[in-house]
Amino acid sequence: MLALLSTFVFAAAATFAIAAVFVTMKGRRSQIAALLADYRSLQQDREFLVYVTGVQRPAPRAAVDQQVRRTTRRALKRAEAARSARLLRAAA
């Protein structure tokens, strides 16, 4: 008998919770509609950006640009190595 009573209490609580959700959603219908419209707008913006960036091919890089990058990177590595060596000497 106690099990049957507790089953009815849980069923009533679940029904009350579902009713509360529906009442809340009905009251917030305009806000939910605005959120869905905003989501659709953002989705369209993403699709447009993918289309715009997908149409263009990246500009080909010249061999000169790559050579300049390599020499700059080497110079930075040398400067970093010299600075770390100075710091090690100062720490010793």
Side-chain angles (χ1 to χ4, degrees):
M1 185 69 180
L2 183 62
L4 186 62
L5 180 65
S6 62
T7 301
F8 284 133
V9 168
F10 280 115
T15 305
F16 179 75
I18 291 172
V21 167
F22 280 120
V23 168
T24 303
M25 285 179 63
K26 188 175 181 182
R28 304 284 180 157
R29 184 177 299 176
S30 62
Q31 291 176 344
I32 293 170
L35 284 174
L36 289 174
D38 192 34
Y39 173 76
R40 289 186 193 112
S41 173
L42 289 173
Q43 181 67 26
Q44 289 174 348
D45 288 347
R46 277 196 288 296
E47 289 172 0
F48 174 73
L49 287 173
V50 167
Y51 172 74
V52 169
T53 56
V55 170
Q56 301 276 338
R57 286 192 337 214
R61 296 185 66 177
V64 176
D65 294 338
Q66 292 175 356
Q67 185 63 31
V68 169
R69 262 183 75 198
R70 285 186 190 131
T71 55
T72 305
R73 195 177 300 155
R74 287 180 192 147
L76 287 174
K77 283 184 182 178
R78 285 187 202 131
E80 180 67 29
R83 186 169 37 140
S84 65
R86 271 187 272 130
L87 289 175
L88 288 174
R89 273 188 247 131

